[in-house]
Every structure is written in structure tokens, then in C-alpha cells.
């Protein structure tokens, strides 16, 4: 359904077996912890130039895979704008005007 350009894992050692899945073969792996020899450490990504960022609010940020209650799983496109708005709404839920 999706053709990823890379794979992110929090811990390449912990999820090493999953990273060997045939569908992931040949994809670059970005790992926050325990990167393997050929993996890209996430810390290195953070040092990249911010000038490269070009995402617009309407650009896809993630694909949420549904459970397939209609018989086939579907990918729901979540835009950068969707995610930013959802984050703001969650933050607003925890704002306490009395404590300010």
C-alpha cells in the first residue's frame, strides 16, 4: 500500500529483527538509539540545515493505517497542518486559566 523512503526506529537493537523484514530491505534506517553500522543516527539528522525544510501545512506528514473494518485496510493522510492543529488542541485541553 505504501512505499516508504526510509524507516525510523527508536532503538535499532531492540527492533533489529523487525528491521530485517523483506519489505524493508534496502531502505535507509534512521535510529535514535543503538544504530547499526549502516544506520543513520537520529542525532546526525538534527544537525542538518533547516534551510532544507520545505513542508507546507497541506503536505502529508504521516499515513495512519486503519484496521480495515470494511475488509481492506486504508491509509488516512494526515497533513502537517492537521498534526499541528491537533497538538494545539491537546495542549489547550491541559491549559488551566486559574493557575496562570
Amino acid at each position: 500500500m505504501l512505499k516508504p523512503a526510509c524507516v525510523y526506529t527508536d532503538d535499532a537493537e531492540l527492533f533489529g529483527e523487525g528491521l530485517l523484514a523483506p519489505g524493508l530491505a534496502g531502505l535507509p534506517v534512521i535510529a535514535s538509539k543503538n544504530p547499526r553500522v549502516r544506520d543513520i543516527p537520529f542525532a546526525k539528522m538534527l544537525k542538518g540545515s533547516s534551510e532544507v525544510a520545505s513542508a507546507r501545512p497541506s503536505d502529508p506528514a504521516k499515513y495512519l493505517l486503519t484496521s480495515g473494518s470494511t475488509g481492506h485496510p486504508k491509509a488516512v493522510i494526515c497533513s502537517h497542518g492537521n498534526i499541528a492543529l491537533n497538538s494545539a488542541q491537546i495542549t489547550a485541553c491541559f491549559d488551566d486559566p486559574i493557575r496562570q
Side-chain angles (χ1 to χ4, degrees), residues 40-96:
I40 302 165
F42 185 70
K44 183 177 180 180
M45 302 288 290
L46 295 175
K47 294 178 183 177
S49 171
S50 61
E51 297 171 22
V52 189
S54 61
R56 295 175 300 231
S58 60
D59 288 343
K62 74 173 186 175
Y63 298 92
L64 177 66
L65 299 176
T66 68
S67 62
S69 59
T70 59
H72 299 287
K74 293 177 180 61
V76 177
I77 300 170
C78 299
S79 69
H80 285 277
N82 277 139
I83 292 174
L85 181 59
N86 186 250
S87 297
Q89 289 171 329
I90 291 169
T91 300
C93 287
F94 294 100
D95 280 345
D96 186 354

Side-chain angles (χ1 to χ4, degrees), residues 10-45:
D10 180 55
D11 188 330
E13 184 177 311
L14 182 63
F15 296 104
E17 186 177 338
L19 293 170
L20 297 175
L24 304 179
L27 291 174
V29 175
I30 301 166
S32 288
K33 297 177 196 164
N34 302 312
R36 301 164 303 174
V37 176
R38 301 182 100 186
D39 295 344
I40 302 165
F42 185 70
K44 183 177 180 180
M45 302 288 290

